[in-house]
Amino acid sequence: MQSPTAPLGDRPSHEDALASNAWPFEEARKLLKRYEAKGMPAEVLFETGYGPSGLPHIGTFGEVARTTMVRHAFEVLTEGKVATRLLCFSDDMDGMRKVPDNVPDRALLEPYLHKPLTVVPNPFGSEYESFGDHNNAMLRRFLDTFGFDYDFASATDYYRSGRFDTILKLVAERYDAIMAIMLPTLGEERRATYSPFLPISPKTGRVLYVPMKKVDAEAGTITFDDEDGVETTLPVTGGNVKLQWKPDFGARWAALGVDFEMFGKDHGPNMGVYDRICEALGGRAPEHFVYELFLDENGQKISKSKGNGLTIDEWLTYAPTESLALYMFQRPRQAKKLYFDVIPRAVDEYYQFLAAYPRQAWKERLGNPVWHIHSGNPPAIQLPVSFGLLLNLVSASNAHEPGVLWGFITRHAPGVTATSDPELDRLVGYALRYYEDFVRPNKVFRLPDDVERAALEALDAKLATLATDADGEAIQNAVLDVARPIERYQDLKKTGPQGGPGVTGEWFQALYQILIGQQRGPRFGSFVALYGIDETRALIREALEGRLIAQG
């Protein structure tokens, strides 16, 4: 029988992994079932797609991070006996449909509209040959920064080098079958001109959306009218054409033998089309995972063009990468808001999961997000102070530099310093930045009413009876004792330790509004233990004298 906890270096049993209900294991088991009858292939291929018309974004991180979690779960299930590979595929042969707003010289790119991104000049300098090459480099740099294990693929390279020649000839051969899949999904006007092939004009270099006059499967050519109206015939091989995006999905899966690919809910309605095209070309559709899209604070879909929601750089300015990975792991099939207010909770939840991990049995560990975030090897970190408490400490002390916070921390946890606990020091920096940019501008103090004034005076007197080194639990109980006899704060649905009513959250909300200038905060007793009893009493006096509202 397995012990209640297991050493950090141990590995889970195969049975534990098979039984885990964590979503990466659920997806990995689909891959096991995929090859249940015929046996495992030499390699299982995971793929993510990338449109290189702009810089990598938070969705890019999420897709690669989540795919990596499934890949690792699969490797555990197969005990490392099956090779796996993650291919990050860039659709860099797509035509540039509009000039991006964030390039330094928009006029430079205007003549290259509708040309493949890999022939558009690089507006950011001469380091890379094209705009597509520049954005591909940004993608690779982005992925490398987070330590992802992947292979990179360029659509331009695959089309031009001949790696897609076989599948392109097959598309020509099975053209009617693919058209039969595609046409019912299109409007009447689009059906009249649609073709899965997009020729690259030999005269203008642009990607053309034109109807086919002839598709010669035996010769492997297509015939169409070029932009000048001249009938033109091109081979479908060698980079002379590319495929429309829906057929391209299915054809790529068939050509490369992709086993797993996830995508956002916006692709969900087209998933069956991708699958049928893959199968029409003799392939087997990969296993899918459709994740929900992120929303902004108003519940609207996040859009790069609108600029609503968070960028990855913004998140990483105020919180560690692991907290973002946790946010990606949690409830991927549920729409979640992605804006600045979610960051503190994500940070604290990450460290809570990390602290719980060593105490857990393997069943719980395999469901713990940190096991998936760290590919089975989460670090052993126990923080003496939460991120939420740090934020309230900054707010109460008006600190502007780390040394002020460390003075409080070291007094609260003797022996803990920036040198001995670099992880906490990292959070101190994040807390200062987050407070300065998002908390301080929105702080709103209010004066206490008569009931609150009397309660604060009673709290001040109660705190004066406590030892200066009282712990958070003792302080929390004292704060509750002050509120119990006050009718406004009595919760008749709860029972206090002496049999009387419990205490409502309105008491703590009032404390944070009056003393900190915020609507909520972490456990108040823990905050006082960190900030100091004498300092908290001084804060109460300032609030009673109206000095905090003047400061706010």
Side-chain angles (χ1 to χ4, degrees):
M1 181 180 294
Q2 185 174 313
S3 60
T5 60
L8 285 176
D10 281 5
R11 290 181 173 275
S13 70
H14 188 62
E15 291 72 23
D16 285 327
L18 280 173
S20 176
N21 60 5
W23 69 261
F25 278 110
E26 291 177 349
E27 297 309 305
R29 283 195 291 271
K30 292 179 185 177
L31 288 166
L32 288 183
K33 190 171 182 62
R34 179 181 179 87
Y35 291 108
E36 196 171 50
K38 296 184 178 179
M40 284 290 169
E43 178 184 83
V44 168
L45 181 62
F46 297 78
E47 186 186 57
T48 62
Y50 169 69
S53 57
L55 297 177
H57 53 86
I58 207 162
T60 310
F61 173 87
E63 194 162 299
V64 179
R66 287 166 169 164
T67 303
T68 297
M69 292 172 186
V70 177
R71 179 187 180 188
H72 177 246
F74 176 78
E75 290 172 344
V76 171
L77 286 175
T78 55
E79 300 175 289
K81 296 174 182 177
V82 180
T84 66
R85 188 162 61 99
L86 170 58
L87 186 68
C88 292
F89 197 94
S90 171
D91 291 311
D92 57 13
M93 204 168 168
D94 289 354
M96 182 178 67
R97 296 195 175 189
K98 66 176 183 176
V99 177
D101 294 328
N102 62 346
V103 298
D105 186 357
R106 299 183 81 251
L108 172 70
L109 303 189
E110 289 286 351
Y112 294 89
L113 282 170
H114 304 294
K115 292 188 179 183
L117 288 159
T118 41
V119 301
V120 176
N122 180 21
F124 295 100
S126 59
E127 184 178 0
Y128 302 102
E129 290 186 10
S130 70
F131 189 30
D133 290 328
H134 170 271
N135 288 343
N136 285 340
M138 296 304 102
L139 171 65
R140 293 194 298 270
R141 184 181 303 169
F142 176 87
L143 298 175
D144 292 343
T145 298
F146 299 110
F148 289 120
D149 175 30
Y150 69 97
D151 290 336
F152 178 78
S154 157
T156 301
D157 291 342
Y158 274 51
Y159 274 103
R160 290 180 179 170
S161 69
R163 294 191 65 169
F164 280 163
D165 281 359
T166 299
I167 202 72
L168 289 166
K169 290 177 181 176
L170 196 56
V171 172
E173 179 183 320
R174 301 182 182 176
Y175 187 83
D176 290 341
I178 292 172
M179 289 290 279
I181 295 169
M182 286 302 307
L183 291 181
T185 71
L186 306 172
E188 183 177 351
E189 184 177 346
R190 188 78 180 96
R191 285 199 298 269
T193 61
Y194 182 82
S195 167
F197 288 115
L198 300 178
I200 313 296
S201 169
K203 295 174 181 175
T204 67
R206 287 199 281 256
V207 180
L208 304 181
Y209 289 76
V210 293
M212 296 296 103
K213 300 180 78 172
K214 182 180 181 182
V215 176
D216 188 332
E218 187 174 343
T221 61
I222 56 172
T223 301
F224 59 96
D225 287 340
D226 205 338
E227 291 185 90
D228 58 3
V230 175
E231 186 173 280
T232 304
T233 298
L234 289 178
V236 298
T237 55
N240 288 293
V241 306
K242 70 176 300 294
L243 294 175
Q244 292 260 16
W245 66 279
K246 291 179 187 177
D248 187 76
F249 250 96
R252 187 165 73 227
W253 290 345
L256 303 180
V258 175
D259 291 295
F260 181 90
E261 180 154 353
M262 64 169 58
F263 31 71
K265 184 181 178 181
D266 50 346
H267 281 279
N270 298 313
M271 185 168 64
V273 175
Y274 307 154
D275 288 352
R276 290 171 63 200
I277 289 173
C278 176
E279 291 157 3
L281 295 171
R284 182 181 182 183
E287 305 304 313
H288 307 307
F289 182 84
V290 179
Y291 55 84
E292 262 288 0
L293 304 177
F294 289 115
L295 309 174
D296 66 12
E297 59 186 311
N298 299 314
Q300 300 298 310
K301 176 184 170 183
I302 285 178
S303 163
K304 285 188 289 182
S305 60
K306 290 181 182 177
N308 58 336
L310 276 171
T311 68
I312 192 161
D313 287 339
E314 286 170 335
W315 185 294
L316 299 183
T317 297
Y318 306 107
T321 306
E322 296 86 352
S323 63
L324 177 57
L326 170 68
Y327 203 69
M328 295 298 171
F329 176 88
Q330 293 174 310
R331 303 178 300 280
R333 283 199 169 102
Q334 177 180 321
K336 293 185 294 185
K337 293 183 178 181
L338 185 63
Y339 63 108
F340 291 104
D341 282 4
V342 307
I343 290 177
R345 181 176 178 181
V347 173
D348 277 337
E349 286 185 344
Y350 166 71
Y351 289 104
Q352 288 163 9
F353 282 121
L354 205 58
Y357 184 81
R359 304 189 299 269
Q360 293 175 324
W362 273 114
K363 179 181 178 181
E364 289 75 31
R365 283 187 180 182
L366 295 180
N368 188 324
V370 299
W371 187 88
H372 299 273
I373 291 168
H374 294 283
S375 296
N377 292 295
I381 295 174
Q382 295 273 356
L383 290 180
V385 179
S386 71
F387 189 62
L389 277 174
L390 286 177
L391 286 175
N392 279 116
L393 181 58
V394 179
S395 188
S397 64
N398 289 309
H400 298 288
E401 56 92 23
V404 174
L405 293 188
W406 274 108
F408 290 102
I409 294 168
T410 301
R411 184 182 64 185
H412 174 69
V416 176
T417 66
T419 302
S420 68
D421 199 328
E423 189 74 5
L424 182 57
D425 192 45
R426 184 165 70 133
L427 286 190
V428 164
Y430 287 131
L432 286 166
R433 287 193 290 273
Y434 189 90
Y435 169 76
E436 195 64 31
D437 291 347
F438 299 106
V439 179
R440 189 164 72 91
N442 296 304
K443 283 177 71 167
V444 179
F445 292 94
R446 68 172 177 84
L447 289 171
D449 61 24
D450 291 343
V451 173
E452 292 163 339
R453 178 173 291 275
L456 286 169
E457 289 171 347
L459 178 59
D460 180 38
K462 185 72 172 180
L463 291 175
T465 68
L466 299 178
T468 55
D469 61 349
D471 63 18
E473 191 64 29
I475 296 169
Q476 184 77 2
N477 287 333
V479 176
L480 288 167
D481 287 343
V482 168
R484 292 188 206 283
I486 302 173
E487 185 176 357
R488 177 186 291 182
Y489 302 128
Q490 290 176 348
D491 186 344
L492 302 180
K493 297 179 180 178
K494 297 179 182 177
T495 304
Q498 306 303 321
V503 176
T504 69
E506 186 180 352
W507 168 229
F508 293 101
Q509 185 178 44
L511 289 174
Y512 276 106
Q513 289 173 344
I514 295 167
L515 301 180
I516 309 295
Q518 297 169 215
Q519 292 299 310
R520 65 187 68 86
R523 190 175 173 86
F524 193 75
S526 300
F527 162 70
V528 176
L530 176 61
Y531 187 46
I533 289 176
D534 291 341
E535 287 78 3
T536 304
R537 293 186 64 207
L539 202 61
I540 292 172
R541 289 193 294 273
E542 287 186 80
L544 293 173
E545 294 167 7
R547 285 185 282 153
L548 290 182
I549 198 167
Q551 167 192 309

